[in-house]
Short mmCIF file of all heavy atoms in Angstrom, two decimals:
data_model
loop_
_atom_site.label_atom_id
_atom_site.label_comp_id
_atom_site.label_asym_id
_atom_site.label_seq_id
_atom_site.Cartn_x
_atom_site.Cartn_y
_atom_site.Cartn_z
N LEU A 231 -27.63 32.35 -25.24
CA LEU A 231 -27.50 32.93 -26.65
C LEU A 231 -28.94 33.00 -27.28
O LEU A 231 -29.81 32.22 -26.99
CB LEU A 231 -26.58 32.09 -27.47
CG LEU A 231 -25.08 32.21 -27.13
CD1 LEU A 231 -24.27 31.39 -28.10
CD2 LEU A 231 -24.55 33.62 -27.03
N GLY A 232 -28.93 33.91 -28.25
CA GLY A 232 -30.23 34.11 -28.95
C GLY A 232 -31.11 35.05 -28.15
O GLY A 232 -31.00 35.13 -26.96
N GLU A 233 -32.03 35.70 -28.92
CA GLU A 233 -32.86 36.69 -28.26
C GLU A 233 -33.73 36.10 -27.10
O GLU A 233 -33.97 36.71 -26.11
CB GLU A 233 -33.82 37.24 -29.35
CG GLU A 233 -34.36 38.64 -28.99
CD GLU A 233 -35.24 39.12 -30.13
OE1 GLU A 233 -35.03 38.83 -31.29
OE2 GLU A 233 -36.24 39.78 -29.72
N ASN A 234 -34.11 34.89 -27.27
CA ASN A 234 -34.91 34.20 -26.23
C ASN A 234 -34.18 33.20 -25.42
O ASN A 234 -34.74 32.47 -24.73
CB ASN A 234 -36.11 33.58 -26.94
CG ASN A 234 -36.94 34.52 -27.71
OD1 ASN A 234 -37.60 35.46 -27.14
ND2 ASN A 234 -36.96 34.43 -29.07
N GLY A 235 -32.86 33.21 -25.58
CA GLY A 235 -32.06 32.26 -24.77
C GLY A 235 -32.17 30.77 -25.30
O GLY A 235 -31.83 29.87 -24.52
N ARG A 236 -32.55 30.59 -26.53
CA ARG A 236 -32.71 29.16 -26.97
C ARG A 236 -31.41 28.55 -27.41
O ARG A 236 -31.34 27.38 -27.85
CB ARG A 236 -33.76 29.13 -28.07
CG ARG A 236 -35.16 29.34 -27.55
CD ARG A 236 -36.18 29.43 -28.68
NE ARG A 236 -37.25 30.34 -28.21
CZ ARG A 236 -38.39 29.84 -27.63
NH1 ARG A 236 -38.57 28.52 -27.53
NH2 ARG A 236 -39.34 30.63 -27.25
N GLY A 237 -30.34 29.31 -27.32
CA GLY A 237 -29.00 28.74 -27.55
C GLY A 237 -28.37 29.07 -28.83
O GLY A 237 -28.82 29.90 -29.64
N THR A 238 -27.24 28.33 -29.14
CA THR A 238 -26.47 28.60 -30.33
C THR A 238 -27.27 28.45 -31.60
O THR A 238 -27.14 29.25 -32.56
CB THR A 238 -25.24 27.70 -30.40
OG1 THR A 238 -24.69 27.62 -29.05
CG2 THR A 238 -24.15 28.25 -31.28
N PRO A 239 -28.23 27.46 -31.64
CA PRO A 239 -29.07 27.38 -32.84
C PRO A 239 -29.85 28.62 -33.10
O PRO A 239 -29.96 29.17 -34.26
CB PRO A 239 -29.93 26.21 -32.63
CG PRO A 239 -29.15 25.32 -31.64
CD PRO A 239 -28.40 26.27 -30.78
N GLU A 240 -30.42 29.20 -32.03
CA GLU A 240 -31.16 30.52 -32.19
C GLU A 240 -30.18 31.59 -32.68
O GLU A 240 -30.52 32.40 -33.58
CB GLU A 240 -31.89 30.92 -30.95
CG GLU A 240 -32.81 32.13 -31.22
CD GLU A 240 -33.51 32.67 -29.91
OE1 GLU A 240 -33.16 32.19 -28.82
OE2 GLU A 240 -34.39 33.54 -30.09
N ALA A 241 -29.04 31.65 -32.08
CA ALA A 241 -28.10 32.76 -32.36
C ALA A 241 -27.58 32.63 -33.78
O ALA A 241 -27.18 33.63 -34.40
CB ALA A 241 -26.94 32.80 -31.39
N THR A 242 -27.54 31.41 -34.35
CA THR A 242 -26.94 31.25 -35.69
C THR A 242 -27.97 30.90 -36.79
O THR A 242 -27.58 30.52 -37.87
CB THR A 242 -25.89 30.08 -35.62
OG1 THR A 242 -26.51 28.85 -35.16
CG2 THR A 242 -24.72 30.41 -34.70
N GLY A 243 -29.25 31.04 -36.46
CA GLY A 243 -30.32 30.70 -37.40
C GLY A 243 -30.43 29.32 -37.77
O GLY A 243 -30.80 28.94 -38.94
N THR A 244 -30.15 28.34 -36.86
CA THR A 244 -30.26 26.93 -37.18
C THR A 244 -31.19 26.21 -36.23
O THR A 244 -31.11 25.01 -36.09
CB THR A 244 -28.84 26.26 -37.14
OG1 THR A 244 -28.22 26.54 -35.91
CG2 THR A 244 -27.90 26.74 -38.27
N LEU A 245 -32.09 26.96 -35.61
CA LEU A 245 -33.05 26.38 -34.75
C LEU A 245 -33.89 25.30 -35.46
O LEU A 245 -34.35 25.57 -36.56
CB LEU A 245 -34.00 27.51 -34.26
CG LEU A 245 -34.60 27.38 -32.84
CD1 LEU A 245 -33.49 27.25 -31.84
CD2 LEU A 245 -35.51 28.56 -32.46
N GLY A 246 -33.96 24.12 -34.92
CA GLY A 246 -34.80 23.09 -35.50
C GLY A 246 -34.01 22.29 -36.54
O GLY A 246 -34.53 21.41 -37.17
N LYS A 247 -32.76 22.63 -36.78
CA LYS A 247 -31.89 21.93 -37.78
C LYS A 247 -30.85 21.02 -37.29
O LYS A 247 -30.09 20.44 -38.03
CB LYS A 247 -31.29 22.96 -38.74
CG LYS A 247 -32.35 23.74 -39.59
CD LYS A 247 -31.69 24.75 -40.51
CE LYS A 247 -32.77 25.47 -41.24
NZ LYS A 247 -32.11 26.63 -41.98
N ILE A 248 -30.77 20.97 -35.88
CA ILE A 248 -29.71 20.19 -35.23
C ILE A 248 -30.34 18.79 -34.95
O ILE A 248 -31.40 18.71 -34.36
CB ILE A 248 -29.24 20.84 -33.95
CG1 ILE A 248 -28.89 22.28 -34.21
CG2 ILE A 248 -28.04 20.09 -33.42
CD1 ILE A 248 -27.84 22.63 -35.17
N ASP A 249 -29.64 17.71 -35.33
CA ASP A 249 -30.24 16.35 -35.21
C ASP A 249 -30.29 16.03 -33.72
O ASP A 249 -31.30 15.50 -33.25
CB ASP A 249 -29.39 15.33 -35.98
CG ASP A 249 -29.37 15.66 -37.42
OD1 ASP A 249 -30.47 15.84 -38.01
OD2 ASP A 249 -28.32 15.72 -38.01
N VAL A 250 -29.23 16.20 -33.00
CA VAL A 250 -29.11 15.82 -31.58
C VAL A 250 -28.50 16.97 -30.79
O VAL A 250 -27.40 17.43 -31.15
CB VAL A 250 -28.25 14.59 -31.41
CG1 VAL A 250 -28.15 14.24 -29.91
CG2 VAL A 250 -28.83 13.38 -32.13
N LEU A 251 -29.20 17.49 -29.83
CA LEU A 251 -28.84 18.69 -29.08
C LEU A 251 -28.75 18.25 -27.60
O LEU A 251 -29.74 17.73 -27.07
CB LEU A 251 -29.90 19.72 -29.23
CG LEU A 251 -29.63 21.17 -28.98
CD1 LEU A 251 -28.41 21.62 -29.73
CD2 LEU A 251 -30.88 22.00 -29.36
N THR A 252 -27.52 18.35 -26.98
CA THR A 252 -27.51 18.09 -25.56
C THR A 252 -27.21 19.39 -24.80
O THR A 252 -26.80 20.39 -25.39
CB THR A 252 -26.37 17.03 -25.20
OG1 THR A 252 -25.07 17.71 -25.34
CG2 THR A 252 -26.45 15.84 -26.15
N GLY A 253 -27.42 19.33 -23.48
CA GLY A 253 -27.21 20.53 -22.70
C GLY A 253 -27.31 20.23 -21.21
O GLY A 253 -27.68 19.11 -20.80
N THR A 254 -26.93 21.20 -20.39
CA THR A 254 -26.95 21.01 -18.94
C THR A 254 -27.99 21.93 -18.33
O THR A 254 -28.35 23.02 -18.86
CB THR A 254 -25.56 21.36 -18.34
OG1 THR A 254 -25.57 21.10 -16.96
CG2 THR A 254 -25.16 22.79 -18.58
N LEU A 255 -28.52 21.53 -17.22
CA LEU A 255 -29.36 22.37 -16.38
C LEU A 255 -28.50 22.94 -15.31
O LEU A 255 -28.99 23.68 -14.42
CB LEU A 255 -30.55 21.54 -15.82
CG LEU A 255 -31.36 20.74 -16.80
CD1 LEU A 255 -32.38 19.92 -16.06
CD2 LEU A 255 -32.06 21.72 -17.83
N GLY A 256 -27.22 22.70 -15.28
CA GLY A 256 -26.34 23.12 -14.24
C GLY A 256 -25.55 24.40 -14.56
O GLY A 256 -24.60 24.79 -13.85
N LYS A 257 -25.89 25.11 -15.64
CA LYS A 257 -25.25 26.40 -15.85
C LYS A 257 -26.36 27.45 -15.88
O LYS A 257 -26.86 27.81 -14.86
CB LYS A 257 -24.50 26.34 -17.24
CG LYS A 257 -23.20 25.40 -17.14
CD LYS A 257 -22.35 25.48 -18.29
CE LYS A 257 -20.97 24.83 -17.95
NZ LYS A 257 -20.78 23.50 -18.64
N GLY A 258 -26.74 28.00 -17.06
CA GLY A 258 -27.69 29.07 -17.10
C GLY A 258 -29.10 28.70 -16.45
O GLY A 258 -29.75 29.54 -15.86
N ILE A 259 -29.48 27.48 -16.64
CA ILE A 259 -30.82 27.05 -16.20
C ILE A 259 -30.85 26.65 -14.69
O ILE A 259 -31.17 25.56 -14.33
CB ILE A 259 -31.30 25.80 -17.08
CG1 ILE A 259 -31.13 26.18 -18.56
CG2 ILE A 259 -32.75 25.50 -16.76
CD1 ILE A 259 -32.01 27.35 -19.04
N GLY A 260 -30.36 27.59 -13.85
CA GLY A 260 -30.47 27.39 -12.40
C GLY A 260 -29.22 26.86 -11.78
O GLY A 260 -29.05 27.13 -10.55
N GLY A 261 -28.38 26.20 -12.53
CA GLY A 261 -27.03 25.89 -11.97
C GLY A 261 -27.05 24.74 -10.92
O GLY A 261 -25.98 24.59 -10.27
N ALA A 262 -28.14 24.00 -10.83
CA ALA A 262 -28.09 22.92 -9.78
C ALA A 262 -27.52 21.61 -10.34
O ALA A 262 -26.34 21.31 -10.07
CB ALA A 262 -29.55 22.65 -9.30
N ALA A 263 -28.23 20.95 -11.28
CA ALA A 263 -27.80 19.72 -11.81
C ALA A 263 -28.72 19.29 -12.89
O ALA A 263 -29.85 19.79 -12.98
CB ALA A 263 -27.73 18.65 -10.74
N GLY A 264 -28.31 18.28 -13.63
CA GLY A 264 -29.21 17.66 -14.61
C GLY A 264 -28.72 18.05 -16.03
O GLY A 264 -28.06 19.05 -16.26
N GLY A 265 -29.01 17.09 -16.94
CA GLY A 265 -28.69 17.30 -18.34
C GLY A 265 -29.76 16.69 -19.19
O GLY A 265 -30.68 16.02 -18.69
N TYR A 266 -29.69 16.88 -20.47
CA TYR A 266 -30.75 16.38 -21.36
C TYR A 266 -30.15 16.14 -22.78
O TYR A 266 -29.11 16.70 -23.15
CB TYR A 266 -31.86 17.37 -21.52
CG TYR A 266 -31.45 18.65 -22.06
CD1 TYR A 266 -31.39 18.93 -23.40
CD2 TYR A 266 -31.06 19.69 -21.21
CE1 TYR A 266 -31.01 20.14 -23.95
CE2 TYR A 266 -30.65 20.95 -21.69
CZ TYR A 266 -30.65 21.15 -23.00
OH TYR A 266 -30.14 22.36 -23.53
N ILE A 267 -30.87 15.25 -23.48
CA ILE A 267 -30.59 15.14 -24.97
C ILE A 267 -31.91 15.36 -25.67
O ILE A 267 -32.95 14.80 -25.25
CB ILE A 267 -30.11 13.71 -25.34
CG1 ILE A 267 -28.83 13.40 -24.60
CG2 ILE A 267 -29.87 13.62 -26.84
CD1 ILE A 267 -28.28 12.02 -24.82
N SER A 268 -31.96 16.29 -26.65
CA SER A 268 -33.16 16.50 -27.42
C SER A 268 -32.91 16.01 -28.82
O SER A 268 -31.84 16.17 -29.40
CB SER A 268 -33.57 17.97 -27.39
OG SER A 268 -33.77 18.40 -26.10
#
Side-chain angles (χ1 to χ4, degrees):
L231 288 185
E233 202 180 326
N234 302 294
R236 290 170 207 267
T238 319
E240 187 185 9
T242 57
T244 52
L245 211 57
K247 294 182 182 168
I248 312 298
D249 300 308
V250 176
L251 198 54
T252 73
T254 184
L255 307 175
K257 289 187 169 108
I259 309 298
Y266 61 86
I267 304 179
S268 299

